[in-house]
Amino acid sequence: LWSGENYSVAPIKFKWVVGRFKGDFMGFEQHDAQELMSFVLDGLHEDLNKVMVKPYIENPESDGREDGSLADECWDNFLHRNQSVIVDTFMGQLKSTVSCDTCSRSSVTFDA
């Protein structure tokens, strides 16, 4: 580190450009790194997305189906609207389960 062969970079221009597109990142307050990465990757994905006409696809109901089957269908639906190197490299799925305390019914969704 102290040999003089390495140097640091201050990404002030990058920060300025990001702040122009999303005002939350203007100024010098501390920001969440995950929010910044999400914003930058989403912007890159939208510019690189190969899908020009995005069909409306309703999310499938879980109805007691196996997680693997439901996850595969949700991922296929997502890929009908989103195809980019960002999706291939950085995207995944989040499983969410909501249960009703009154009737004990559960609903499972998979979001990308």
Side-chain angles (χ1 to χ4, degrees):
L1 175 69
W2 306 109
S3 68
E5 295 176 18
N6 301 313
Y7 60 93
S8 64
V9 176
I12 192 73
K13 288 182 182 176
F14 176 73
K15 185 187 176 318
W16 181 79
V17 169
V18 169
R20 275 188 37 215
F21 287 98
K22 185 165 173 99
D24 295 349
F25 294 110
M26 291 181 79
F28 294 97
E29 296 176 18
Q30 184 174 348
H31 298 286
D32 187 344
Q34 188 275 334
E35 288 179 29
L36 173 65
M37 284 299 297
S38 179
F39 174 72
V40 170
L41 290 175
D42 186 55
L44 289 171
H45 163 67
E46 287 302 322
D47 286 348
L48 298 172
N49 195 356
K50 297 174 189 169
V51 179
M52 295 298 143
V53 178
K54 297 179 181 184
Y56 174 78
I57 301 172
E58 186 128 357
N59 288 332
E61 293 289 327
S62 55
D63 294 328
R65 293 169 52 190
E66 263 188 42
D67 283 353
S69 165
L70 182 60
D72 287 345
E73 184 178 348
C74 291
W75 186 250
D76 288 341
N77 290 347
F78 176 78
L79 292 178
H80 279 90
R81 297 175 50 89
N82 301 281
Q83 294 178 14
S84 74
V85 67
I86 303 300
V87 169
D88 295 343
T89 308
F90 296 103
M91 293 298 292
Q93 284 182 305
L94 173 71
K95 177 185 175 183
S96 176
T97 304
V98 177
S99 300
C100 176
D101 291 335
T102 305
C103 69
S104 299
R105 184 178 185 279
S106 290
S107 175
V108 178
T109 58
F110 288 88
D111 296 312

